[in-house]
Each structure stands twice: as C-alpha cells, then as structure tokens.
Amino acid sequence: MIQNVRYYLSEHPSVVNFRWSHSQSWGNTWSFLFTSITAYVFFSVFLHFLLLLLFRHRRPLPLGPIPAVHSLSMALISLTIFTGILLSAAAEIRETRWFWRRSKTTTFQWLLCFPLGTRPSGRVFFWSYVFYLSRFLNILRTFFTIFNRRKLSFFQLFNHSILIFMSFLWLEFSQSFQVLAILFTTLLYSVVYGYRFWTAIGLRSACFPFVVSCRILLLGCNVVCHVGVLLLHFMKGGCNGIGAWVFNSVLNAAILFLFLNFYVKVHLRSRKVEETENLDSAMNKDN
C-alpha cells in the first residue's frame, strides 16, 4: 500500500516528467491568469449586488450540503498535495544530494533557496501546479460567504486573488521557497477545511477562533521563511526567481496587514458587544 502511494505521488511518469510550458499545461498563460482573476472579482461583486436587489432581507440562503462537501474535498485535496510534495521533495533530495556536496548545500537550504538556473520541471513543480489549480476550487468559499452571510469582504477577494497570482509566479519563475510554502499551506488547509467540515455537519466547534489561529500560524511561518530566503540569497550567491520572490514578499506583507487590520476590528467589535452585554446585565440587576 505504501509503495503504491509513493509510486503514484512521486514516481509516476506524469509526475517525474512534468514540465511547466505553454503547450502542455492548462492555465499557464498571463492572459488566462488576469482573465480568471478579473472574472472572479467581477462575478463575486455582481452576485453580491444581484442578491441585494432580489432579496431585501439579510437572511442566509440555504445551500444544503454543498459547503460541507466542498470543505471535505478541499481537506482531502490539500492532504494529497501535502503528501505528494513531501514525497517528491524527498525523492529530489535523494537523487541530487551528490551534486549538493560540491556546492556545500544542505537540504534545508535547498528547500528555501533553489540554485540559479532551476527550471520548472519534475516532481516538485508537478505538485506546485496541482496546488495552483486547487486555488480555483478554493475561491468557491467566496460565493458560499455571499449566500450564507450576505456579505462581500474586500480582504477575501484580495486574498484569494493574490494566492492564485503568487502560485502562478512560483511556476513561471521557478521561485525559491515554494516547497516549504506549499507544505505549510496544505498542511494547515487540510486541518482548517477538516474543521469546517466537522462544524458544517453539526458537530461541536472549538472554544477559540480556530481558523484565525491557523492563519496567524501560517503567516508567522511565512515571515520566518522569507527572512531565511533573504539571508541565503546574499550568503550563497543568489536564489532562483528572486525577483518574483520580492514581489511575492510585498503581496504577503499586504495580506498580513489586511488580515491583522481585519482581526483587530473584529476583536474590538466583539469586546464592545461583550462590554455592552455586561453593562446591560448589571443595569438589570440594579433595577
């Protein structure tokens, strides 16, 4: 069983012989990237205002088991990508370790900093491509939010669009750090979407903001790894795709700023509601 899993996830010819090219990979052109992101933003805004016009009330529109099925699917897909890129990275390390000894490169350095001249082909980039495609399935969460909460968040639109854009850059420029980024992201996504499936079928939720805590942990790991890439770039003579990495870092910083701003606003709002409730209860006791 283990041998079959290892074969299909890291040794299958489709995985080993993968190559990111305009003739062999779907969705790999700049025109497709910008068209798909524009269509996602436009359709989200259009759906939001259409529901406001058709339904004056703010009650959630029922979606049945669709959100639960989506969460379960995303959890399984994320777990598959995590396992696949973990096995593929181990295979790449095992096959190229002899070459690294000449340049005194360690496994951890390779995970953070691809050597100059790295091409987007092979096992690791196959799973990077699968991760890129999974971002389009992930954006369905926006439409669920519009139907359930009747709200459209700028942060959600920006975050999903940037995730698609960054995963495209990883492939287009063979950007360093993407192996660890995909490992961290898919591991936490499998947990988060598993938790969402758990709550969607009516089981008990956590007593603390579980999803928000996972996002903070992911952003913290990304910040630490970005610092590592920057240090290795100057110490080892350069990392592949550093220009895309710089742009990626700016986008990550924007996501971090928007997320912290959103978190602070929600936290302050919940504190005000709690204080108001405590004040009302105290006044009722006095009366």
Side-chain angles (χ1 to χ4, degrees):
M1 181 64 181
I2 297 177
Q3 292 298 328
N4 288 335
V5 171
R6 181 178 289 110
Y7 171 76
Y8 283 108
L9 295 185
S10 64
E11 302 297 338
H12 193 274
S14 299
V15 179
V16 177
N17 299 324
F18 172 79
R19 183 178 181 85
W20 170 260
S21 65
H22 292 182
S23 60
Q24 299 180 11
S25 306
W26 179 82
N28 61 354
T29 61
W30 288 96
S31 59
F32 174 85
L33 175 68
F34 289 114
T35 301
S36 59
I37 293 177
T38 303
Y40 159 65
V41 174
F42 173 79
F43 188 68
S44 298
V45 175
F46 173 77
L47 180 62
H48 174 65
F49 286 106
L50 178 64
L51 292 178
L52 289 179
L53 291 175
L54 295 179
F55 304 97
R56 296 295 181 180
H57 60 80
R58 289 278 183 170
R59 291 192 298 270
L61 298 178
L63 293 175
I66 295 177
V69 173
H70 176 263
S71 296
L72 180 60
S73 301
M74 286 300 302
L76 295 176
I77 291 172
S78 298
L79 186 60
T80 302
I81 296 174
F82 172 81
T83 307
I85 198 167
L86 183 65
L87 294 174
S88 297
E92 293 289 342
I93 292 169
R94 184 175 59 252
E95 293 179 3
T96 57
R97 186 176 296 169
W98 62 272
F99 178 75
W100 295 352
R101 292 174 182 173
R102 296 182 180 180
S103 59
K104 298 180 180 180
T105 301
T106 64
T107 300
F108 183 71
Q109 290 174 348
W110 177 78
L111 291 172
L112 283 175
C113 179
F114 283 156
L116 295 176
T118 300
R119 300 298 180 186
S121 61
R123 302 179 178 92
V124 167
F125 290 98
F126 171 84
W127 289 109
S128 181
Y129 177 61
V130 176
F131 179 80
Y132 164 65
L133 296 180
S134 70
R135 298 306 87 203
F136 293 98
L137 182 60
N138 186 47
I139 64 177
L140 292 178
R141 287 284 307 176
T142 303
F143 306 118
F144 299 158
T145 302
I146 295 174
F147 279 105
N148 287 331
R149 301 179 184 176
R150 305 299 303 277
K151 293 181 180 179
L152 182 61
S153 170
F154 170 76
F155 171 75
Q156 193 173 36
L157 286 177
F158 182 79
N159 185 46
H160 285 311
S161 301
I162 292 306
L163 285 176
I164 294 175
F165 192 77
M166 288 193 302
S167 57
F168 180 89
L169 293 181
W170 291 350
L171 288 158
E172 186 69 14
F173 297 100
S174 305
Q175 184 189 310
S176 298
F177 164 63
Q178 62 178 282
V179 176
L180 285 180
I182 295 173
L183 285 173
F184 291 148
T185 303
T186 52
L187 179 60
L188 284 176
Y189 269 42
S190 62
V191 175
V192 167
Y193 276 104
Y195 171 77
R196 283 173 173 164
F197 172 73
W198 176 274
T199 56
I201 60 177
L203 298 177
R204 186 176 180 180
S205 60
C207 58
F208 63 96
F210 182 81
V211 176
V212 173
S213 301
C214 289
R215 287 183 176 178
I216 292 175
L217 178 61
L218 178 60
L219 290 172
C221 292
N222 284 338
V223 170
V224 173
C225 290
H226 274 287
V227 174
V229 172
L230 185 62
L231 293 176
L232 286 174
H233 176 69
F234 291 106
M235 293 172 58
K236 301 294 292 184
C239 297
N240 200 72
I242 195 63
W245 173 87
V246 171
F247 189 66
N248 196 342
S249 300
V250 174
L251 295 178
N252 272 321
I255 291 176
L256 179 60
F257 172 77
L258 290 174
F259 177 77
L260 292 177
N261 184 47
F262 172 78
Y263 177 75
V264 169
K265 286 182 178 179
V266 171
H267 182 69
L268 291 177
R269 189 183 308 154
S270 62
R271 285 190 61 183
K272 289 181 179 178
V273 172
E274 184 178 354
E275 290 175 357
T276 302
E277 292 177 351
N278 292 336
L279 181 60
D280 291 340
S281 61
M283 292 176 65
N284 291 332
K285 288 181 180 179
D286 292 338
N287 294 332

